[in-house]
């Protein structure tokens, strides 16, 4: 080896010992990128002929790529697939390192369907991304898009179930109450009040800070402005003589108030005789089959609930405790508000002058106990505690009745499924709803008939009352089969091993024959009321 070659070899050895690379000439083909990938991570993406390996949705293929999103080259053609870092940014990644990138959200692709992650091979949509509030509403917002969904289930063209003792039926489809317009108006009004309170808060900020109240104090003031003054802890009212004169009644009605609970021998009809039973509810000369069916169903499944709701006082009056109830639009059910409704009920009841010893409505002498008649009177008088909105709802739903109809006359106009659900919650303090009959097969492969049989059987097994109403027929049409009464409310008491439905008539006599599932669906309106 000549002297020049020996000197070059010694120099190379010294450089390797100190860790410094050799200088490369223009003809050398050594690629130092393999030794230092962090220096230039974008080199691989500059070869347009090679398709980059696609990562799983929203996961970067290379940690180095995700760490430095600002160094990724922007594709010149919108049809080019999005880089892994772009996919990460479009989903849930932190802001990019380069502020310029963060200032241009319009370059981030927006997925067309939240359920389907963006396909890296799919051209990106240059449309502006949705605001955070829009993303929340499009994915997990509980507010329905259609304001009509906020209203209670309704069919205001139908007639309620209203059949008094010994009378043929007139009536129509089940219905709910309320209107989507009113509900939407309530929501808008609440939002306006909340916004107004929030706008007024900064003006008092300095005073609040000086007084030590701070942000929490202003928040409480805003909430109080929306909620209004505190409500009393319970609702109280005296139910003395609810109106019972119904000018639209077709059959005879009681003509005066009397005291049929006082016997000729000086004793009084007892409030209870053992545990309350459904057989002790007997509808009288009034079209409140839905209310009597509901009371009997609760007595049959939850007798302690009835016993706890009614008590006799030392002064001879009765105290009935119900649960204040509101319709929860977002859940589609009736729920207790938490406030009790305590009603003082006097013992006088509507009677016929020719039979003053017999209650004209819910029977007492025939069943030997007073609780059904007292509870019926309480339900008739609870409208004394209604606000203007609740009164307007009833007037609107029962448009066939005179405006301002209250008391027993209100009950005489019959009930819709939603009204029976409301009373069910008032009696039990538990949420209730109107459940539509299933249609089609479910995820377990069960037919609609099998679902209906098993669902109602399961509710009964869980001691949840089930209430239904029959379809309505015209007086000129043939009566319903199986001893069913048109437009009448019934309690479902059993679904036997053969899948047959057993119903109880609130008249306490003439119970219909058992129904097959086909007959049940033919003669019963396609929904039922139950507890959740």
């Amino acid at each position: 080896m000549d002297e020049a070659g020996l000197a070059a070899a010694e120099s190379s050895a010294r450089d390797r010992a100190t860790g410094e690379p050799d200088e490369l000439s223009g003809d050398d083909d050594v690629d130092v990128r393999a030794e230092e990938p962090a220096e230039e991570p974008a080199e691989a993406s500059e070869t347009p002929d090679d398709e980059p390996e696609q990562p799983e949705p929203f996961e970067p293929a290379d940690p180095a790529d995700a760490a430095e999103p600002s160094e990724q080259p922007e594709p010149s053609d919108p049809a080019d697939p999005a880089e892994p870092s772009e996919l990460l940014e479009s989903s849930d990644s932190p802001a990019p390192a380069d502020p310029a990138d963060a200032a241009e959200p319009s370059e981030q692709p927006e997925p067309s369907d939240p359920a389907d992650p963006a396909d890296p091979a799919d051209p990106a949509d240059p449309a502006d991304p949705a605001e955070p509030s829009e993303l929340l509403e499009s994915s997990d917002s509980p507010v329905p898009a259609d304001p009509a969904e906020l209203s209670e289930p309704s069919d205001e063209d139908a007639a309620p179930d209203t059949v008094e003792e010994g009378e043929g039926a007139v009536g129509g489809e089940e219905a709910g109450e309320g209107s989507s317009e009113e509900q939407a108006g309530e929501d808008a009004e609440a939002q306006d009040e909340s916004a107004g309170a929030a706008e007024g808060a900064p003006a008092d900020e300095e005073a609040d800070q000086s007084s030590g109240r701070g942000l929490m104090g202003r928040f409480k003031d805003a909430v109080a402005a929306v909620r209004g003054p505190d409500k009393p802890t319970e609702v109280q009212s005296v139910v003395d003589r609810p109106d019972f004169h119904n000018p639209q009644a077709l059959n005879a009605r009681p003509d005066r108030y009397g005291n049929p609970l006082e016997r000729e021998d000086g004793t009084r009809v007892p409030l209870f005789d053992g545990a309350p039973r459904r057989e002790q509810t007997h509808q009288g000369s009034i079209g409140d089959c839905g209310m009597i069916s509901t009371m009997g169903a609760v007595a049959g499944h939850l007798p302690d609930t009835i016993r706890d709701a009614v008590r006799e006082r030392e002064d001879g009056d009765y105290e009935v405790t119900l649960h204040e109830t509101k319709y929860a639009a977002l859940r589609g059910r009736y729920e207790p508000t938490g406030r009790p409704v305590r009603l003082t009920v006097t013992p006088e009841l509507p009677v016929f002058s020719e039979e003053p010893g017999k209650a004209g409505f819910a029977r007492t002498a025939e069943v030997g106990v007073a609780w059904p008649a007292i509870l019926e009177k309480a339900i008739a008088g609870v409208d004394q505690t209604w606000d203007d909105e609740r009164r307007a709802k009833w007037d609107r739903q029962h448009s066939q009745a005179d405006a301002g109809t209250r008391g027993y006359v209100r009950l005489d106009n019959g009930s819709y499924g939603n009204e029976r659900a409301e009373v069910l919650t008032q009696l039990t303090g538990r949420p209730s709803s109107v459940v539509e009959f299933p249609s089609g097969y479910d995820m377990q492969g069960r037919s609609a008939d099998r679902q209906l049989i098993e669902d109602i059987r399961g509710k009964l097994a869980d001691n949840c009352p089930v209430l239904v109403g029959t379809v309505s027929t015209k007086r000129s049409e043939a009566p319903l089969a199986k001893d069913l009464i048109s437009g009448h409310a019934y309690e479902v008491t059993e679904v036997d091993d053969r899948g047959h439905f057993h119903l109880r008539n609130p008249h306490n006599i003439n119970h219909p024959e058992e129904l097959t599932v086909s007959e049940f669906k033919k003669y019963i309106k396609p929904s039922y009321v139950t507890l959740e």
Side-chain angles (χ1 to χ4, degrees):
M1 179 181 298
D2 56 13
E3 294 181 1
L6 181 60
E10 291 176 353
S11 175
S12 176
R14 285 194 305 272
D15 291 340
R16 285 192 295 272
T18 59
E20 299 176 356
D22 291 324
E23 295 180 4
L24 301 177
S25 65
D27 296 334
D28 290 330
D29 195 26
V30 179
D31 191 351
V32 297
R33 290 174 296 179
E35 297 183 10
E36 293 189 330
E39 287 288 327
E40 298 177 2
E43 289 296 326
S45 64
E46 295 179 356
T47 57
D49 295 336
D50 296 332
E51 181 73 12
E53 181 181 356
Q54 303 299 337
E56 293 294 327
F58 310 128
E59 293 185 9
D62 188 343
D65 293 340
E68 299 180 5
S70 60
E71 296 183 7
Q72 296 297 332
E74 181 176 348
S76 59
D77 188 351
D80 291 339
E83 291 293 329
S85 61
E86 294 176 358
L87 291 175
L88 182 62
E89 292 168 9
S90 67
S91 59
D92 197 19
S93 65
D98 191 346
D101 294 340
E104 298 179 2
S106 61
E107 297 182 2
Q108 299 178 3
E110 179 182 5
S112 59
D113 187 352
D116 294 327
D119 188 351
D122 206 24
D125 187 357
D128 293 336
E131 293 294 328
S133 61
E134 296 174 357
L135 293 176
L136 177 62
E137 294 175 359
S138 65
S139 58
D140 198 24
S141 173
V143 181
D146 187 356
E149 294 179 15
L150 293 175
S151 64
E152 301 172 45
S154 64
D155 185 359
E156 296 184 2
D157 295 332
D161 296 321
T162 167
V163 181
E164 64 184 84
E165 180 185 33
E167 181 189 8
V170 292
E173 296 296 328
E174 301 268 353
E177 58 182 279
S179 67
S180 59
E181 292 81 2
E182 283 192 2
Q183 183 66 40
E186 293 170 3
D187 295 342
E189 182 179 352
Q191 291 176 0
D192 292 342
E193 292 176 354
S194 179
E199 290 174 0
D204 299 331
E205 180 176 359
E206 185 175 346
D208 289 340
Q209 291 179 351
S210 62
S211 63
R213 294 174 66 248
L215 180 61
M216 183 56 67
R218 296 198 304 276
F219 174 75
K220 292 180 178 179
D221 290 344
V223 172
V226 175
R227 292 177 55 187
D230 292 337
K231 294 182 178 180
T233 56
E234 67 180 31
V235 180
Q236 296 182 351
S237 185
V238 176
V239 179
D240 186 12
R241 296 192 172 192
D243 184 16
F244 65 88
H245 295 285
N246 185 2
Q248 299 181 1
L250 300 178
N251 296 338
R253 292 291 186 269
D255 55 354
R256 67 179 180 86
Y257 267 96
N259 196 346
L261 299 181
E262 298 293 337
R263 295 168 173 163
E264 294 181 356
D265 60 2
T267 62
R268 199 179 202 187
V269 175
L271 183 60
F272 298 108
D273 181 13
R277 303 188 307 275
R278 62 168 55 90
E279 293 78 14
Q280 294 171 338
T281 57
H282 186 156
Q283 181 184 355
S285 301
I286 184 174
D288 64 348
C289 52
M291 300 299 101
I292 299 297
S293 293
T294 304
M295 291 161 46
V298 173
H301 290 278
L302 305 166
D304 288 343
T305 298
I306 298 295
R307 182 178 288 278
D308 293 341
V310 187
R311 73 176 185 88
E312 189 171 3
R313 305 194 328 184
E314 293 182 358
D315 60 4
D317 291 340
Y318 299 89
E319 182 178 277
V320 176
T321 303
L322 304 175
H323 301 268
E324 185 184 52
T325 299
K326 292 291 185 181
Y327 183 72
L330 297 180
R331 297 182 179 88
R333 67 184 190 181
Y334 282 91
E335 297 178 347
T337 66
R339 290 202 307 170
V341 179
R342 301 195 191 281
L343 304 175
T344 298
V345 181
T346 59
E348 289 78 22
L349 299 171
V351 299
F352 292 95
S353 293
E354 58 269 24
E355 292 184 307
K358 292 184 178 181
F361 296 150
R363 303 306 190 191
T364 55
E366 293 85 347
V367 298
V369 289
W371 73 262
I374 296 301
L375 190 53
E376 179 189 46
K377 183 177 179 179
I379 294 173
V382 74
D383 55 30
Q384 298 174 184
T385 68
W386 287 359
D387 57 19
D388 292 340
E389 178 188 359
R390 182 65 184 88
R391 296 187 187 98
K393 284 183 178 180
W394 192 94
D395 291 340
R396 182 174 57 254
Q397 187 173 9
H398 294 265
S399 57
Q400 81 284 355
D402 294 335
T405 297
R406 300 293 179 261
Y408 285 111
V409 182
R410 172 176 60 84
L411 300 188
D412 202 11
N413 277 270
S415 63
Y416 293 90
N418 70 296
E419 293 173 306
R420 294 192 282 275
E422 180 182 30
V423 172
L424 194 57
T425 296
Q426 288 175 335
L427 290 174
T428 64
R430 293 168 53 183
S432 63
S433 61
V434 180
V435 182
E436 300 295 327
F437 284 5
S439 60
Y441 286 82
D442 64 3
M443 298 298 293
Q444 289 75 41
R446 299 183 302 167
S447 67
D449 289 355
R450 183 181 173 191
Q451 292 175 61
L452 184 61
I453 291 171
E454 294 182 354
D455 290 351
I456 293 184
R457 181 185 287 154
K459 284 294 184 181
L460 297 176
D462 292 337
N463 276 325
C464 294
V466 176
L467 304 162
V468 297
T470 54
V471 297
S472 298
T473 60
K474 297 180 180 179
R475 294 184 182 275
S476 59
E477 297 176 345
L480 300 180
K482 301 289 186 175
D483 293 329
L484 290 166
I485 301 174
S486 170
H488 194 40
Y490 291 87
E491 176 197 357
V492 180
T493 59
E494 180 186 1
V495 180
D496 61 30
D497 294 339
R498 298 172 297 168
H500 291 187
F501 294 80
H502 298 248
L503 308 183
R504 177 183 180 268
N505 187 344
H507 295 167
N508 218 19
I509 56 174
N510 300 327
H511 304 296
E513 301 175 29
E514 60 190 55
L515 305 176
T516 66
V517 66
S518 298
E519 293 169 336
F520 187 77
K521 294 171 68 174
K522 179 180 180 180
Y523 299 125
I524 301 299
K525 298 172 185 176
S527 64
Y528 60 92
V529 174
T530 189
L531 292 176
E532 295 190 358

